[in-house]
Amino acid sequence: MTAEEFLNIVKISQEYSQDTRQEKTIAQQLNFSYEIHWHDWNVIATFIAQPDADLALIAEAWRFAPAFVEAQPRWTALSQHPDWAAAVAQPQRAMPPSRHGWGGLPAFFIAQLIAEKNIKSLCLVLESHTVDRGFFERWGEDLLAFGHQSIDLRIMEQHIISAERMRPILDKFATSKYATVRLAVARHEHVSPETLRLLCTDRDEKIARAAAAHKLFPQDALDVLAQHEEERQGERLDRLETLGWKELGDFLGNPGFPQEGLDILAARDDAAIRFACAMHPNASDALLQATLAAPEDWRKAAAALNPALPPAMMEQLAASDSVDIAFALAGNAALPEALQVRLASHPSRMVRLHLADHSSSHAVLSLIAAQPGREDVHTSFEQLLAVAIDPASPASKIGNLQAATNTKRSNGEALASSLGYAVARHPKVPEKLLGKMRHALPELIAANPGVKLRMLEGLPLPEPEPIPDWKMNGPEVAKYPGYAINELLRSKELSVQRMACDHIGCDKALLLPLLLVPDTVLLKKLAQRTDMPRFFYEMLWLLGGESVKAALKANKAACRLGAFQDGPAVAVAAAAAAAPASQVKVDARGGIKGNKKDRIALAASSTDEAVLLALATDKLGEVRDALTRQAALPLAVVALLSRDTEQDIRRQMPGYLAHFPLEQSEAIERTLLGEGGGIAERIAECTRNPVLQQHLVGSYDRQLAYNDHLAPAVAEHFLYHASIDTVQRVAANLEGQLAFSRKAADFLLQMLDHRRDDPLASLRVLYSAPDEEQQRHHLARVADYLALEGDRIENTYYVTQCIIERFVDDAGMQALIARCLGPQTNEENRHWAARLSTRLDDDVIARLLQGASGGREALAGNPALPEHAADVLKNDPLPEVRAALAAWNTRLASHFVGDASEEVRAALARTTGEVALQRQLLADKQEQVLAALADNPHCDSAMMAALVAANRNYAVRSRVAGHPATSPDTLKLLLQDRHAHVRAYAAAVIEQRAAQAEAHSQPSA
C-alpha cells in the first residue's frame, strides 16, 4: 500500500463517520488505519508525518526502530514535544506472534525478533497461515543464517516456496548437524537426486533408509547404497558382543543375519535376544535343540515360529498342549498339512482362527469352519468361512463376504484375514472385487480358476486399484479389510506400522516381527491388543519400558504379568464373560457409589439434579468431564463445575450459562472472566450480557466476532474498527438485526466503491441485506463493479461463485458468466460457469465437449443444456458425466435405466418420478442403486414396502424407515428387522409421527 492510498482510506473513513451517531476524529481514523497496515514501512513513515498521529504509536515504532524514526522529517519536533518522554515511558504493547499472522506484525517487530534471536517467537510466526512468498523474499536469508533446527524444519514445511527456490535450501540443510533436519530433507518432495545420493550413506540409519526409499532416488546410486549397507552391517557384526537391544532389534530382523552371530548372541543372559535368535530362520540346529529343551513355553514358542524348523521338531512341538506353542506353529509357513489338520481341531479358537489365516488347504479350512463359533454374534466367523470355501456359493454371497471382512463388529467378533483370501480364491469372485484383489492379493487372483477361465475367453480384467495414501488416512485404516492391512504391516516405514498394528483383522503372525522394533509407541499399541497368546505379552513385558508395562497392566488379557527375573510368569487368564456391572448407589452423604464406568455413563445421561450435583463433586475427573457431554445442565450444577479444579471443565461452562437469564449467570461469568486466557475467550464467544461484551471489546475481538448474540453497540464497534472479514462474520451472525444488517451492507459497499482492502470479499455483503429489494439494489452496485474489474473477477471464481449461484437469474450475473466461459479464463472458471449459465451457445458447448472431463461434467449438470448437446453427453465414456445428466434430464431417463455404470443408475434412481422406471430400478442388484431409490422423494409407500420385501442391505432399509412416504405397516415390519439400527430408527420415526399428529390435533380440539 502506498502512502497516498493510506491517506485516501483515512479520508473515506472520516467522511463516512460524519454520517454516523458515533463520531470519529481524524486522529482516531489515523490510528485505526495505521494499526491495520503497520507492517508497511511507507504507511509508518506517512503516519509519523501526520500532525494528528498518536505519540504513543510513534514511540512504539521508535523503541523497535529508532534509526528509522529519527530519519523522518518530523523527528526534531517529536523529540522536543513536551509529551514525548511520557509516551516513550509507556509499557510496550504485547504483540504475540501466535495471535497475528506475519502480515499483521510490524516490519520492525520481525526485525527485532531476528536481532534478539528469539527462536520460539519466530517459529510461531512461521507456523502462521498468512506467511507467504513475500515473507521469505524479505526475511529468508536472515532465517537461514540461524542454522537452528526448529527454524529449518518450519521453512521446509512451507509449501508456498517453489521447487526451484527450495532445492538450494535443501542442499544446504542436507549437511545440517541436526539429524531431524537431514531426515526432513530426505523425505521432502522437492529434494534433488544428488542430495539423496549424499543422504543414502548418512551415519543415521533412519535417514539413509528414508533417502533410499524416496521416489526421486537415482537408480545409478544403488551400488553405492549396497556397498554402504555391507560396510555398516560388517561394522555391527565386528562389535556384536557390545550391541544393545536398541541396535540389535532391527538388525536381527534381517534375513541374512549370519548363523555364527546368532550363536554368539544366544549365549547372552537376555531373554529378548534369545527369543529373537530362536525365531530367526538361520538359527542352527544346536540352538534350536537347546531352545526345545528349555522348560519355558515362551522359548519353545520362539522355535515354533522359525520357518526353517525341521519337520521332526514340529512333530515334537505339536504334541504339546500349550496354547502358546500351538499358536506359534499355526502361523509357521512351513507347517505340514498333516499337522495343520491336527491344529484345526485345537480347543483354542484363537489358534484355529490364526491357522485359518495361513492355510490354503480345503480340508483344514473345512475342519475349522465345522467348529462351533461364538454364540453371542449374529453370524460367526466359522459360518462365514463355510460360505467362502464352498465352490457352490453364489457370487452375490461372495461379494457380501467382502463387506463382512470390512466390518468391525461392536460385539467384538474378530474376522480373520482368511475370509479375504478365500474370496480371492473362489471361482465366482465378483468382477467388482477384482480391482481390489489384483492390488492386494495378486498371487491368489492369478491362480484363481475363474479368473484364468476369464482370461482364456479373452475378457479384460479391471485395473488394480491405486494404493491409498495411508499416511494421510491413518484414522481410516480400521475400515480396510485385514488382507489389505497385512501389506502395511510388511512396510519398512515405522509410521505405517504404527497405524496398522492394532487392526482387528490382520494376520497376527506379522505382529511378531514387530516385537524386534525398538519403538515405544509401537510396542505400547501392541500391548493394548486383547487377542494375542501369553508369550506375546511376556515378550512385550521384557522389551518395553514403563509405559508399555502400564499398558499391559491395564489389559485384561495380559493381567498379572511379571518380569522373568522375579520368577516364571503366570498364565494369562482365559477370556471370560464380563461380570455384571455393579449398580450405582447413593450413600448417606449424597455421594455416588459404583464403578468408574457406571458413574461416567450416569453423568452423561442422568437428568436428576441431586444425582448430577453428587457427580459434579466426584473425585475422578473423567466422571465430572462426562457431565459436559450433556446438552443442558441445571444452574446449580453449572455453578459447581465453574469452580472445578480442571480448567478444561471450567472452560465448558460459559456455553451452558448462555441459556440462563442474565441476573443468574452474570456473577458466575464475571468470576470465570477473571481467570482470563481460554476461559475468557469462551465467555466472549457465548455471553449474552451486553455489559460483559463491552468490557471484552479490544481484548477478545476475534472471539466476540463469533458471538451470535452481540449487543447493537458492540456490533457497531466492529463496523468501524474491525477488518472486512470480521465485519462480514458479524453481519452474518446478526442477520436478524435488520438495522445493523442494512448499515453493514451500506458500509461494506462504500468500501467496495473506494477500493478499500480487497473489494472482492465485500461481495458477500449481499447475504446481509435484510430484504429482497435492498438485495437487488446492492446487486446492481456489485454488477457495476464487476463490469469494471472483469479480468480480476473472472480469475477469482471461488469468491464470486456463491453470489452468482444465489442470483443466477440476474442479467448482470449471467453477463459475468458469459465472460467466464471465454477461452481467456482458467479451466476451473469455465467449468463452474458452464454449470450455471442459462445462455449456452454452440461455440462454448463445442469447446467444452472437446476439453477436459470436468467441463463435460459441468455441462451435463446444467438444466439449460440444449438437446443436441445432451444427446452427445448421454454416451460419454465417463460415468460421472452420464450421472450428472441422468440426475435431471427426464427426456433421457429411459436411456439411463439400463446404463452399465452403477453410479449412473443411482443418480437416476435418486431423482426419477416415473413409476415404471422406479419398478425397473427396484430389480437392480446393486445396493447403491437401491439406497438411492430409497432416498427418492417421488417414491410412494408401495415402493418403500417393495424395497423392504427385497431384503437388501440394512442401509437401504434404514433409508426406508426415514422416508416420509413409508407407511405405518412398513414401519411396524421394520421394528422386527434383524439389524438393531434399523429397529431403533423405525421406532424413532413412529414416535416422531405420533408426536406431530398429537401437536396438530391439539388446536382443533
Side-chain angles (χ1 to χ4, degrees):
M1 170 175 289
T2 64
E4 183 180 356
E5 290 173 334
F6 170 73
L7 291 175
N8 189 35
I9 287 178
V10 173
K11 181 180 178 182
I12 293 170
S13 302
Q14 173 65 12
E15 290 174 355
Y16 183 78
S17 67
Q18 292 174 357
D19 299 330
T20 63
R21 290 176 298 173
Q22 187 173 357
E23 296 293 335
K24 299 294 179 185
T25 66
I26 186 67
Q28 290 172 322
Q29 294 297 332
L30 268 172
N31 297 344
F32 172 57
S33 302
Y34 163 74
E35 290 184 351
I36 291 178
H37 304 287
W38 60 1
H39 59 280
D40 193 319
W41 286 108
N42 291 331
V43 169
I44 297 171
T46 307
F47 179 79
I48 295 172
Q50 301 302 311
D52 293 321
D54 191 342
L55 274 180
L57 294 179
I58 299 177
E60 177 180 86
W62 178 82
R63 278 195 293 268
F64 279 106
F68 174 78
V69 176
E70 291 171 8
Q72 303 305 314
R74 284 191 65 217
W75 168 246
T76 303
L78 288 171
S79 61
Q80 297 174 0
H81 195 285
D83 297 330
W84 176 250
V88 172
Q90 289 182 8
Q92 178 61 45
R93 177 170 38 148
M95 293 178 289
S98 59
R99 297 288 299 278
H100 297 274
W102 88 273
L105 292 171
F108 52 73
F109 184 61
I110 301 291
Q112 181 75 6
L113 294 178
I114 292 176
E116 294 176 349
K117 298 182 178 180
N118 190 333
I119 302 297
K120 183 177 180 181
S121 296
L122 286 171
C123 287
L124 292 174
V125 173
L126 283 171
E127 290 170 1
S128 168
H129 294 297
T130 59
V131 171
D132 59 12
R133 187 173 300 172
F135 179 86
F136 287 98
E137 293 290 342
R138 192 168 189 175
W139 309 107
E141 295 299 328
D142 296 316
L143 294 172
L144 291 174
F146 281 111
H148 193 281
Q149 62 176 337
S150 298
I151 296 290
D152 295 346
L153 289 172
R154 282 162 179 80
I155 288 177
M156 280 189 280
E157 291 170 0
Q158 296 298 331
H159 300 292
I160 44 120
I161 305 179
S162 63
E164 294 74 17
R165 181 171 173 80
M166 180 61 83
R167 282 195 170 180
I169 298 175
L170 294 175
D171 293 342
K172 177 182 177 181
F173 288 166
T175 59
S176 171
K177 63 181 178 180
Y178 301 108
T180 53
V181 174
R182 300 199 306 277
L183 179 61
V185 172
R187 293 172 174 172
H188 202 280
E189 60 178 335
H190 295 321
V191 64
S192 64
E194 292 73 20
T195 303
L196 291 173
R197 189 194 304 272
L198 169 68
L199 291 175
C200 76
T201 58
D202 194 275
R203 60 183 180 274
D204 191 304
E205 185 178 341
K206 185 184 295 185
I207 298 172
R209 282 204 305 266
H214 200 283
K215 61 182 179 181
L216 299 179
F217 185 74
Q219 295 299 311
D220 58 354
L222 291 176
D223 294 338
V224 177
L225 183 64
Q227 181 181 357
H228 172 69
E229 180 66 15
E230 185 178 350
E231 292 174 356
R232 188 173 62 86
Q233 301 288 32
E235 178 192 355
R236 290 203 292 185
L237 287 173
D238 291 340
R239 53 189 184 93
L240 194 59
E241 296 178 351
T242 62
L243 291 180
W245 174 254
K246 197 166 185 178
E247 293 180 277
L248 275 175
D250 186 54
F251 192 23
L252 278 171
N254 190 330
F257 197 96
Q259 189 177 90
E260 298 78 7
L262 293 172
D263 291 335
I264 293 172
L265 289 174
R268 284 202 195 179
D269 186 20
D270 189 310
I273 293 177
R274 293 201 302 270
F275 183 91
C277 291
M279 66 185 287
H280 199 282
N282 289 342
S284 63
D285 289 342
L287 175 56
L288 291 174
Q289 290 286 2
T291 302
L292 294 179
E296 300 94 343
D297 282 348
W298 67 265
R299 291 190 187 226
K300 296 176 182 177
L305 292 169
N306 195 318
L309 191 68
M313 293 185 180
M314 289 186 181
E315 287 280 357
Q316 178 184 345
L317 288 171
S320 170
D321 58 355
S322 168
V323 174
D324 294 307
I325 296 174
F327 183 91
L329 276 176
N332 195 317
L335 189 67
E337 186 174 3
L339 294 182
Q340 292 182 28
V341 170
R342 188 188 305 181
L343 289 177
S345 301
H346 195 279
S348 171
R349 187 169 183 260
M350 177 176 64
V351 172
R352 300 196 302 269
L353 264 62
H354 188 46
L355 175 64
D357 281 347
H358 299 91
S359 178
S360 58
S361 168
H362 189 274
V364 173
L365 294 175
S366 298
L367 282 173
I368 296 173
Q371 297 293 327
R374 285 179 53 172
E375 297 179 354
D376 58 332
V377 297
H378 184 273
T379 306
S380 68
F381 164 79
E382 286 77 7
Q383 292 172 286
L384 296 174
L385 183 60
V387 174
I389 63 176
D390 185 1
S393 296
S396 59
K397 285 191 175 182
I398 299 301
N400 290 337
L401 280 177
Q402 161 67 15
T405 63
N406 201 10
T407 303
K408 186 174 181 180
R409 301 290 182 90
S410 59
N411 53 26
E413 171 70 336
L415 298 174
S417 301
S418 52
L419 283 182
Y421 301 151
V423 169
R425 290 192 293 259
H426 200 280
K428 298 177 184 176
V429 57
E431 181 181 354
K432 66 178 182 179
L433 301 182
L434 286 179
K436 297 178 181 178
M437 298 293 186
R438 288 191 71 193
H439 158 60
L441 303 171
E443 296 84 2
L444 292 182
I445 285 296
N448 186 301
V451 174
K452 285 183 177 180
L453 181 61
R454 182 186 181 93
M455 295 177 67
L456 287 174
E457 294 174 352
L459 298 176
L461 295 180
E463 292 296 323
E465 291 191 359
I467 301 174
D469 191 354
W470 298 103
K471 291 187 178 180
M472 297 300 293
N473 294 287
E476 302 297 323
V477 166
K479 73 179 183 181
Y480 288 93
Y483 63 81
I485 299 303
N486 296 341
E487 183 179 352
L488 303 186
L489 291 174
R490 297 186 183 97
S491 170
K492 297 299 181 184
E493 282 286 337
L494 180 61
S495 59
V496 177
Q497 292 173 338
R498 284 177 178 176
M499 278 192 298
C501 67
D502 58 353
H503 193 280
I504 189 172
C506 70
D507 181 356
K508 298 179 181 60
L510 298 175
L511 301 177
L512 300 173
L514 299 183
L515 292 172
L516 308 181
V517 180
D519 179 71
T520 302
V521 176
L522 178 64
L523 296 179
K524 187 174 178 180
K525 292 189 74 172
L526 292 175
Q528 293 168 346
R529 293 193 69 109
T530 59
D531 54 352
M532 297 301 290
R534 184 191 68 185
F535 78 86
F536 183 83
Y537 300 121
E538 289 178 333
M539 293 312 303
L540 283 171
W541 184 273
L542 291 174
L543 298 170
E546 292 303 319
S547 60
V548 177
K549 291 180 179 178
L552 286 168
K553 290 177 181 178
N555 187 345
K556 292 182 179 180
C559 60
R560 293 183 294 145
L561 284 175
F564 282 132
Q565 298 92 309
D566 300 333
V570 295
V572 178
S582 58
Q583 295 183 350
V584 177
K585 299 178 181 178
V586 182
D587 60 20
R589 297 181 180 180
I592 302 295
K593 287 187 175 181
N595 62 41
K596 170 183 171 182
K597 181 179 179 181
D598 294 333
R599 301 203 309 276
I600 290 177
L602 187 65
S605 59
S606 177
T607 57
D608 189 320
E609 184 172 352
V611 173
L612 295 176
L613 283 170
L615 291 169
T617 60
D618 196 283
K619 62 181 180 180
L620 287 181
E622 293 110 311
V623 177
R624 305 194 305 276
D625 183 65
L627 290 169
T628 63
R629 300 175 200 166
Q630 295 211 28
L633 289 172
L635 181 64
V637 177
V638 175
L640 192 57
L641 291 177
S642 66
R643 301 191 297 270
D644 196 274
T645 56
E646 294 189 15
Q647 184 179 11
D648 288 343
I649 294 178
R650 299 198 304 276
R651 191 176 182 277
Q652 303 297 323
M653 293 307 104
Y656 291 98
L657 289 170
H659 302 296
F660 296 102
L662 298 183
E663 57 272 15
Q664 294 180 340
S665 62
E666 182 175 10
I668 303 175
E669 284 185 330
R670 288 189 178 278
T671 303
L672 291 172
L673 186 61
E675 294 191 38
I679 296 178
E681 292 178 354
R682 183 64 177 154
I683 291 177
E685 293 172 356
C686 302
T687 183
R688 294 171 177 262
N689 193 321
V691 178
L692 286 182
Q693 290 177 7
Q694 194 69 46
H695 178 72
L696 291 164
V697 166
S699 302
Y700 298 97
D701 285 357
R702 184 172 65 87
Q703 289 76 23
L704 278 171
Y706 287 95
N707 193 317
D708 295 337
H709 313 288
L710 283 183
V714 179
E716 296 230 353
H717 162 81
F718 284 102
L719 190 59
Y720 304 116
H721 296 277
S723 66
I724 293 288
D725 286 342
T726 304
V727 172
Q728 291 166 354
R729 188 181 306 123
V730 173
N733 288 350
L734 302 179
E735 286 186 356
Q737 297 185 16
L738 298 186
F740 176 78
S741 295
R742 184 177 292 108
K743 192 173 294 185
D746 288 339
F747 178 78
L748 290 172
L749 284 167
Q750 173 102 2
M751 294 302 100
L752 183 147
D753 289 343
H754 292 283
R755 307 193 179 194
R756 173 187 175 181
D757 206 345
D758 183 4
L760 295 176
S762 299
L763 294 174
R764 299 195 188 95
V765 73
L766 296 175
Y767 286 109
S768 304
D771 53 53
E772 184 176 352
E773 181 181 354
Q774 192 177 25
Q775 283 182 355
R776 294 293 174 183
H777 168 67
H778 293 327
L779 186 62
R781 299 179 66 185
V782 173
D784 292 340
Y785 173 74
L786 296 180
L788 295 174
E789 296 282 342
D791 294 339
R792 188 177 177 205
I793 293 291
E794 290 164 12
N795 292 318
T796 53
Y797 68 96
Y798 50 86
V799 177
T800 57
Q801 185 178 356
C802 60
I803 302 300
I804 293 175
E805 286 180 337
R806 183 168 182 180
F807 302 100
V808 71
D809 296 330
D810 182 80
M813 297 297 103
Q814 283 297 319
L816 175 61
I817 289 176
R819 285 212 308 272
C820 292
L821 285 172
Q824 73 279 5
T825 58
N826 58 42
E827 188 177 76
E828 293 87 350
N829 227 3
R830 290 197 298 275
H831 290 176
W832 69 257
R835 180 172 58 85
L836 296 174
S837 176
T838 59
R839 306 170 185 173
L840 291 168
D841 57 47
D842 291 341
D843 291 338
V844 170
I845 293 174
R847 188 167 60 248
L848 289 169
L849 286 177
Q850 297 171 5
S853 61
R856 303 200 305 275
E857 185 176 356
L859 276 179
N862 190 333
L865 186 69
E867 288 189 5
H868 67 86
D871 290 335
V872 174
L873 291 173
K874 73 179 182 181
N875 298 315
D876 195 276
L878 290 180
E880 311 92 74
V881 176
R882 304 198 303 275
L885 191 59
W888 64 268
N889 197 312
T890 56
R891 182 177 64 88
L892 298 174
S894 58
H895 172 81
F896 291 120
V897 74
D899 195 280
S901 171
E902 180 181 347
E903 181 182 353
V904 177
R905 300 196 305 276
L908 177 63
R910 192 172 289 108
T911 57
T912 181
E914 297 185 34
V915 177
L917 293 180
Q918 293 174 5
R919 291 292 175 187
Q920 285 183 260
L921 292 166
L922 180 64
D924 201 298
K925 296 181 179 180
Q926 299 299 327
E927 293 169 3
Q928 182 181 352
V929 177
L930 295 173
L933 197 58
D935 287 334
N936 190 332
H938 304 294
C939 287
D940 57 14
S941 58
M943 179 59 64
M944 295 298 108
L947 281 170
V948 173
N951 195 24
R952 300 294 184 181
N953 182 275
Y954 81 93
V956 177
R957 302 194 301 277
S958 177
R959 286 175 166 85
V960 170
H963 198 284
T966 302
S967 66
D969 292 338
T970 304
L971 287 172
K972 291 177 182 178
L973 183 61
L974 291 174
L975 289 176
Q976 309 300 321
D977 195 90
R978 67 175 183 272
H979 200 282
H981 174 74
V982 178
R983 298 195 301 270
Y985 195 12
V989 171
I990 292 174
E991 183 178 350
Q992 181 183 8
R993 289 187 182 181
Q996 291 174 349
E998 183 179 355
H1000 285 303
S1001 63
Q1002 284 178 354
S1004 60

